[in-house]
Amino acid sequence: EFSEHLAELDVEWEARCLEEETAQRNESFVSETSLLQEAAEMQAELDQRRAHEGQAAGAMERRASELRERVRKSEGTIGERRALCRRLEEECRQAEADEVEGRSELREVEAALVDAQREHRAEIERLRRQCAERGRRREEELAAARKVE
């Protein structure tokens, strides 16, 4: 009768452990899926920003070309030409500032992705340790039950 009880406990323990492991795996899968979705969204945002930077740079180049052409055609005074040059320089400085900001945002997005991946790996490791600890406790309980026999 005691052996039957031990066998029942063993079956019950196996079922509970399997159920918990399945739940933990499902939770990890959901977490991983969420992290992958977030990474994809970050990548899409990053791609969009890069495309925007390229468009802004192209627009700045066209604007600079237009301004140079206006300067050449201008019969105005040197002061007018200098003013045009200062505006062009300001626009270039602004474009450079935009590029620096874009690169900074890119670094932040990449750092956030690295952090998210690190957290995911830590969670997986925690779940592995937790399952191993449960297995160890189960073995201790079984050993204690066998001693009682």
Side-chain angles (χ1 to χ4, degrees), residues 5-143:
H5 181 66
L6 274 179
E8 288 173 9
L9 283 176
D10 192 36
V11 168
E12 182 181 314
W13 179 257
E14 285 291 327
R16 245 190 294 160
C17 192
L18 181 60
E19 181 181 303
E20 182 63 26
E21 183 180 339
T22 301
Q24 293 294 328
R25 284 185 183 187
N26 287 340
E27 186 178 312
S28 282
F29 177 75
V30 168
S31 178
E32 182 178 356
T33 301
S34 174
L35 288 171
L36 288 172
Q37 176 65 31
E38 186 177 339
E41 289 170 4
M42 287 179 177
Q43 184 64 46
E45 181 181 338
L46 179 61
D47 292 344
Q48 183 180 16
R49 287 183 182 180
R50 283 181 178 158
H52 178 70
E53 286 178 18
Q55 291 170 351
M60 298 295 1
E61 289 175 23
R62 286 189 298 279
R63 179 72 177 138
S65 178
E66 290 170 6
L67 288 173
R68 283 191 293 272
E69 183 63 27
R70 284 178 58 193
V71 167
R72 276 193 297 274
K73 290 181 179 181
S74 174
E75 294 183 9
T77 65
I78 293 177
E80 291 172 337
R81 289 181 183 173
R82 286 184 181 156
L84 289 173
C85 286
R86 281 191 292 273
R87 278 188 286 198
L88 177 59
E89 289 172 352
E90 180 57 34
E91 288 178 9
C92 287
R93 278 192 292 276
Q94 184 61 46
E96 289 172 352
D98 290 346
E99 180 181 359
V100 168
E101 180 181 345
R103 290 184 188 279
S104 174
E105 290 174 356
L106 171 60
R107 284 191 295 277
E108 290 173 12
V109 167
E110 289 173 340
L113 176 59
V114 167
D115 288 345
Q117 290 171 335
R118 186 179 314 114
E119 289 175 13
H120 177 69
R121 286 191 299 273
E123 179 64 19
I124 297 275
E125 185 57 33
R126 183 191 67 76
L127 292 173
R128 284 185 183 138
R129 285 193 307 272
Q130 187 179 41
C131 191
E133 177 63 22
R134 287 183 184 151
R136 186 189 58 74
R137 281 188 298 213
R138 179 180 157 263
E139 290 300 322
E140 289 174 359
E141 289 173 9
L142 286 173

